[in-house]
Every structure is written in C-alpha cells, then in structure tokens.
Amino acid sequence: MSPLDRKLLRDLWRMKLQTSAIGLVIAVGVLLLVMMGGLVNSLEQTRQAYYDRYRLADVFAPVKRAPDHLLTRLSEIPGVAAVEGRVVGGALVDIEDQTVPVRAQAVSLPAFGEPRLNAVYLAEGRRLDPRHMDEILLLQGFADAHDLEPGDSISATIHGARHTFRIAGLAQAPEFLYSTAPGELAPDDARFAVIWMNEEALAAALDLDGAFNEALISLERGAQAPAIIDAADRILMRYGGTGAYGLVDQISNRFITEEISGLRVSSRSVPPVFMGVAAFLLYIVISRMIEAERTQIGLLKAFGYTSTEIGWHYLKFILLVSITGALLGCALGVLSGQALSGVYRQYYKFPFLLFRVDPGSFMTAILVSVASASAGGFLVLRKIFALAPAVAMRPPAPADYSGSARLVAALKRYLDQPTRMIVRRVARQPMRAFASTIGIAVGMGLAVAMLGVLGGFDKAVSLGFNVIDRSDATVTFVEPLGEKTLFELKRLDGVIEVEPFRSVSVVFRNGVKTHRGALSGSVSPAELNRAMSEDVEQVYARKDGVILSDPLARKLAIQPGDEVTVEVREGRRPVLSLPVTGTFRSLLGAPAYYEIGALNDALNEPQRVSGAYLRIDAANETEVYEAIKNMPAVAGITLKADARQSLERMMNEGAGATRYYMAIIAAIITFGIVYNSARIAYAERAHDLASLRVLGFTKGEAAYVLLGELGLITLAALPIGALIGIGLAGAIAAGFSTDLYTIPADVGPDSIGNGAMAVIIAAIIAGWLVKRDVDRLELVSALKSRE
C-alpha cells in the first residue's frame, strides 16, 4: 500500500463521523432515485402487462340502447381490431347492519367463453355457470371488506327491482384498478362494488334484450383513436350515444397514469436537491482539508509526488464517500420500493405487483452521485495544481483583519471575551460563515416545505369538507328528474335542507385543447356545496356564463372573458358557446359551474335535476336513509363523513404517504448539514481550542467559543430557511397536485416554527456530540503539527 493510500485511510477514519453524515445525504438522494424510478418502472410494466393479458379496450362507447347488429358496423371502421358489446348499469347492494346501500356497477359477461375485450381475473372461486342466472362474480376488494366468500348470497337493487345473487367467485379487472364510486375521488373497498353477471340476466334486468349500452373497441397498431371515436359517435348518435372516449380518459387508467407521472416528475426533481447538498458539503470538507494540509501538500511535492498524484489522492477520498453512500442508497432504495409497492398494490388493484429496478438505474444512481460529489471537489483540486512546493511549505500570508477590529472594539463594552472571539471569527471569515448559514438554511427549508405540504393535505381536506361542502349526504338519481322528486325529499322527517344540482356529461373545448368532464348546474347562491375563490370567498354560479376551476382553466388555457365551447354528450347533444365569467379554487377534480336554471334552458330541459345535497337531523338520519333507499329513482347515496374518511385514508396510508417519507428524509438531511458544520468548525479550531485550554479557559468556556459560532450561524439561517421553505413548499405541492386534485401549500407560523425547532434540536444534538470531543481534547497532541 502506497503512503498516500495509508494517509487516505487515516483521513477517512479521523473524519468518519463527517464522512458518514455526507454519505448518508448521498444515500438519501440515491434512495429516492432508485425507489421512485423502480416504482415508475414497476407500475408501468405491471399495468401494461395486465392490460394486454386481459385485453383492456382502447375506446369505450356508452350508448342509451343500441341493437346488437350495430357491432358489425363498428367493427368495419378502419383501424378497429375488435369490438365487444356489453350491458352495464348501476346497482345498490344491501349490506347487513348498514343503513345506506352500497353503490355498485353491474357488468355483463358472455354466457360462454371469455369476452373478447375487458376480461376478468378470477382471484377465487369459479366462473359463472350459464345455467344459473342468479350467479355473480364480485369485486375482490369489496368482498374482503365485508368478509364475503364464494357461496355467500347478497341482495342488490337493479333498475328498481330487488334481486338475490349467489357469489360464484371473486374477481378483479384492469378497468377497475382504481375502484371508486361515481362522483368520488378516493377509493373505498367497503363502499363500492362491481358485480359481473350473465349477459342474459343483466339485459333482462335493464330491459336491454338484444341490445347493448356500451361498446368496447380495440385498435390496430398505428390506428388513431380520435378518428375512430368520431366514427363510433356518428354510428351511435341516433341511438343515444353519450360520447365515446379513449383509454386516456377512463377514470381508473387516468388515476394510475397521474400517479406514475407524479412519481416520474419527483424522481427527476427531488434527488438532485440531495445530490447538490452532498456536493456542497464535500466541497466545504475538501477545501478546508486542503487548507489545513497545505504544508503537507508542499512536502509531498518536494519529495517528488506530482500534482496529478496528489489530486488523485483527494479525489479518491471523494469517490470512496460518494460510492459508499450510493451503494447504501441503492440497497435502501430497493427495500423502500418493496415496502411502497405493497401500498400501491393495496390501492391499485393489481393481481400482482413486483418491485423491479432496471439495472441501468443502479449505474445511473452511482454515476450521478459520483459526478455531483466530484463537481464540488474539482473546484477545490485546482488549488493543488497551483501550489508550488516552496510556497506551500510556507505559512499562508496573514489575512487583513483590520476591518473587523473596529467592530469588535465597538462591542467590547457589551460582550465578554469569549463572545467577542465568536463575533471576531464570523466577521473575519464572512464567506465561510455565509456558506455554513446557507447549508443549514437549505436543511431548514426542506423541513419547512415538507411540513407545509403535510399541512396542505390537511387543509385541503378541512376546506373541502368543512367550507366548500357543508352537506351531510348527496343523493343522485338514475336519470335527470323533475322538481317533484325534491318535494318528496323535503317531506321526509329529519331532512332540514335540500339543494338540487344538475350534472351533464360534456367535452370542453378551446381550440385544440379539450377536457372530458361534467358541467354542473348549481343554485345561486349555493349553501350546501359552494365554489370558493383563492382567498376562500364564495363564487356564485351565474346565468350569463360559466365559472371554471383553476385546474380546468389552466388545462384549457382559458381566462375570464374568453368563450369556451361545450359539447353536451347526452340528450339532444347541443353544442354551446359560453362565456367564462370567472375561475375558482378547486381542491377535488376540475369542475365547472353554471346556474342550474340557465343550464336547463340551454339544454331545453326545464326544471330537471340530477341529484340533491341534503342537510339531515342526526336524530332522524337512519329513518331518512331507509326512506331514500326505497325510492326507485335513487341511484345512490354518498355520506360526506364516509367520503372524507376515504380521502384521509388515501392521503395518509396510500400514495399520499410518500410525503411522510419526504418529511423523514428532510429531517435526516437537516441533521446531516448541521452536524457537518459543527464537525468542520471543530476540525479547524482544535488547535485554537487547545491553546485556550492551556491559557486557562475551562472546558465549558472552550466549548462555548466553538458552539457559540454554530449557534450564531444557526440563528442567522432561520429566516433564510423560512423563505426557502415557502418557495420549496409551493413547488413540492404543485408536484403532488394533479388534474384530479389540488394540494395547497400551507406554510404558516406552525410550519416555520416546527421547522426552526427541528434545526435547533439538530444543532443542540450536534453541539453535544462535538462538545464531547472538546472535553476529551488532548492538549499536547492538539498543539502538535499533524504529520
């Protein structure tokens, strides 16, 4: 082993705590890179394999009622590979000891053989027997939530008639990866079911014998979905087609796609932050290491070592730290990815989900960590090449500290001697103190940002369910009904208030930008379900135009005063050109509101409602729900308390749990930065501290001189960290937000205070660890020049 390599090992052992902290920061960045990249890779591959194996359709074409012979015409559209007609409908499932029925989707299966498209995965039990019309397959998640097994019986209401079914098997399907009740965003296995029935039995229940109400279409390779969607709409229009749509707009696929996109963005933006911090820390360590070993470098050059050999020695120090951290990060990334893949499998109903990392990801992670760490080192290594042996062996020229003398003299009457030493040190080396301040501020900024995002999730839930939605339950009807139904609801004992709404399936269009969604008709002023502006003021639905949610306005690139084209996808299917009168803040979905009377007039369907928001007396809620359940026109009841609980569960235990990982990681990097600053300061001042001890300073006074500087820098970092945190919180919240929901960044006094407290606690722990070294300082050894 060469002398330089032995010196390298001694340096690594001497600085083991510092290098461990830096390696941990690098490991965190690599962990995120490997974990997020692996999750993206696993979700994409598993989703595609699942779609292909069970032949998920590329185009869905719902229709009111179309004869079976139209399937032949659909199959003749150029670019169509296969067509499948099926029957679908809503259902209400009665659960024992549960007042409110569970909403369900009934889907037909052919009597014999597998469907050509949208096949199901049989998880348990057997397939349907065509001889028994009362058999069903039940969604596995729902069955597990209610302890149902093959052989059990359930009751369900379909098209106003009650049926009793026997469960033949439990199933999953790629079109129900994300299973949520219509109109809701959060999945809840206990409150949404899918029933697969024999096609003949379901057609008879919905009065669709010899007909279908949804066509499934798969495309040939290279076929253009928009052209085929337009052709399908033309064929089905006269039969009540409500507008075909591609897989990209299918709700389950849309959720999983948004999740993958968010992970991909995070994997590209978050790890570089940690790599940058690691490079910054290594830059400080190596630069101060070279300054401290200036004389040694001169001696090495005098004995014949070249600048390249000496530079390679210090570069190996950087490489060993970065590669060790990267390898640790790779291992932790795989373990974290495997743990999170179980969470994703729980919320996205994959039959299987194996966490797989592309081997190239490991190489990329290692190379990125090495490159980022080396970037900081290369800036310092240039000094080695500039040092001549004769110059290096001489002490550096004394710095000019005359400017700081006046400052210290002015403070002499106010500060004691140890405190003046602290101020003098900071004043004489302002750039070094500034670098340490920025490093600590970045750590605090990460902590504040993550606390702000955590608070944003809670604020979104509180604002959405306490301020925006003030109802107790939402009732939806099978089809738009007259106002007579509202009077029936108002007459129920226990119903305090009823607020109607109208929801119409539409396609919003502004030039080439489109969005498939719903136009909601709202009363004005609304009391139970309101639109709110950015400053939490109510926005009223208007008769002279529509108001759009901020996500929808951004997607359509439209502003108040512009006009939006609204293509209605039901009834007479008019095309409306409506002015945009305003925008509002939306936390869930991308809604648009129009005054309900004006909407019905535009559709030429006066006094029609799709449902109602209810405020109910808690003492009579059981009787109210029982009465509503027996109304044949009711498609479903959604309790606000249940919807809120589902959303909170998704945010705290599902994909939203990623933010907790980020908060923990922010705490780790904060401590790493603060501890490194303390260790570097101690390494630089060990000789000075020993001198103070020899001059008569106590251990406490010597430690105060060192840790007082750390405390001063930490206090200076707090306001800067707060500003960094506010900016980072907005960026991270935007990364978590999608077209389906918006997460506000809630950086308030609590977030800043808790972030500052985390930094102060980290500084106290780091100071305590360093003080132990100060107390154990060997005065003779510290005063000697290190060989």
Side-chain angles (χ1 to χ4, degrees), residues 515-681:
H515 173 78
R516 181 184 176 89
L519 179 58
S520 299
S522 174
V523 299
S524 184
E527 295 293 337
L528 299 185
N529 195 286
R530 309 178 296 170
M532 308 299 294
S533 66
E534 184 69 25
D535 52 359
V536 198
E537 291 186 0
Q538 185 169 355
V539 177
Y540 299 102
R542 296 170 57 169
K543 295 184 178 182
D544 57 344
V546 297
I547 55 174
L548 306 180
S549 61
D550 290 331
L552 180 56
R554 288 194 298 268
K555 185 175 182 180
L556 296 175
I558 202 167
Q559 296 178 350
D562 298 339
E563 288 199 347
V564 61
T565 301
V566 181
E567 301 174 0
V568 179
R569 293 297 188 175
E570 58 185 63
R572 298 177 178 83
R573 300 185 63 170
V575 177
L576 311 176
S577 182
L578 301 175
V580 177
T581 57
T583 61
F584 65 96
R585 182 181 193 176
S586 173
L587 301 178
L588 301 176
Y593 289 105
Y594 196 18
E595 200 277 330
I596 188 170
L599 175 58
N600 283 328
D601 290 342
L603 299 176
N604 198 19
E605 297 176 354
Q607 299 182 343
R608 293 286 174 177
V609 295
S610 301
Y613 304 107
L614 307 181
R615 193 157 61 90
I616 301 171
D617 186 346
N620 302 94
E621 61 181 13
T622 301
E623 294 79 3
V624 171
Y625 297 145
E626 284 287 352
I628 293 175
K629 182 171 66 174
N630 294 323
M631 293 182 177
V634 172
I637 311 171
T638 300
L639 303 186
K640 185 178 75 171
D642 291 342
R644 177 172 186 161
Q645 185 179 19
S646 299
L647 186 61
E648 289 177 338
R649 187 184 304 115
M650 181 187 74
M651 289 182 169
N652 294 328
E653 302 175 9
T658 306
R659 69 192 197 276
Y660 291 114
Y661 285 86
M662 298 291 291
I664 294 172
I665 288 168
I668 292 173
I669 196 171
T670 300
F671 177 77
I673 293 173
V674 174
Y675 180 70
N676 260 281
S677 298
R679 290 298 308 180
I680 290 170

Side-chain angles (χ1 to χ4, degrees), residues 376-449:
F378 279 126
L379 297 174
V380 183
L381 296 182
R382 295 180 303 172
K383 298 179 180 179
I384 295 176
F385 291 86
L387 280 175
V391 175
M393 293 175 65
R394 290 199 305 266
D400 183 9
Y401 294 140
S402 59
S404 63
R406 290 188 294 272
L407 172 64
V408 176
L411 298 175
K412 186 174 181 179
R413 57 185 298 181
Y414 303 106
L415 303 177
D416 57 17
Q417 187 180 37
T419 305
R420 292 201 302 273
M421 290 181 183
I422 296 171
V423 175
R424 186 184 300 117
R425 168 86 172 182
V426 173
R428 287 178 174 179
Q429 297 176 328
M431 294 307 299
R432 183 173 295 183
F434 177 75
S436 299
T437 301
I438 293 299
I440 296 174
V442 169
M444 176 182 167
L446 286 171
V448 170

Side-chain angles (χ1 to χ4, degrees), residues 456 460 551 554 585-589 651 733 737-744:
R554 288 194 298 268
R585 182 181 193 176
S586 173
L587 301 178
L588 301 176
M651 289 182 169
S737 301
T738 68
D739 289 342
L740 300 172
Y741 55 83
T742 301
I743 301 300

Side-chain angles (χ1 to χ4, degrees), residues 690-746:
S691 300
L692 292 177
R693 291 290 311 283
V694 171
L695 292 175
F697 278 64
T698 65
K699 293 180 179 180
E701 290 172 332
Y704 172 73
V705 172
L706 174 64
L707 300 180
E709 180 183 346
L710 174 64
L712 189 61
I713 290 173
T714 301
L715 291 177
L718 296 182
I720 302 174
L723 295 176
I724 294 174
I726 293 172
L728 277 178
I732 295 173
F736 276 109
S737 301
T738 68
D739 289 342
L740 300 172
Y741 55 83
T742 301
I743 301 300
D746 186 25

Side-chain angles (χ1 to χ4, degrees), residues 98 162 342 493 535:
Q98 187 168 317
R162 189 179 298 270
D493 290 336
D535 52 359

Side-chain angles (χ1 to χ4, degrees), residues 415-546:
L415 303 177
D416 57 17
Q417 187 180 37
T419 305
R420 292 201 302 273
M421 290 181 183
I422 296 171
V423 175
R424 186 184 300 117
R425 168 86 172 182
V426 173
R428 287 178 174 179
Q429 297 176 328
M431 294 307 299
R432 183 173 295 183
F434 177 75
S436 299
T437 301
I438 293 299
I440 296 174
V442 169
M444 176 182 167
L446 286 171
V448 170
M450 292 316 306
L451 289 170
V453 172
L454 288 172
F457 274 81
D458 296 334
K459 181 179 180 180
V461 173
S462 177
L463 190 60
F465 289 96
N466 293 336
V467 179
I468 294 177
D469 184 0
R470 301 194 295 182
S471 67
D472 296 314
T474 303
V475 176
T476 54
F477 305 139
V478 175
E479 58 184 6
L481 301 174
E483 292 186 340
K484 178 182 176 182
T485 309
L486 298 179
F487 293 116
E488 294 180 3
L489 291 173
K490 291 178 181 178
R491 287 208 310 262
L492 297 176
D493 290 336
V495 174
I496 300 173
E497 189 173 356
V498 176
E499 183 174 284
F501 66 87
R502 178 76 191 271
S503 181
V504 182
S505 177
V506 301
V507 173
F508 296 97
R509 191 179 302 277
N510 180 36
V512 297
K513 298 183 180 295
T514 62
H515 173 78
R516 181 184 176 89
L519 179 58
S520 299
S522 174
V523 299
S524 184
E527 295 293 337
L528 299 185
N529 195 286
R530 309 178 296 170
M532 308 299 294
S533 66
E534 184 69 25
D535 52 359
V536 198
E537 291 186 0
Q538 185 169 355
V539 177
Y540 299 102
R542 296 170 57 169
K543 295 184 178 182
D544 57 344
V546 297

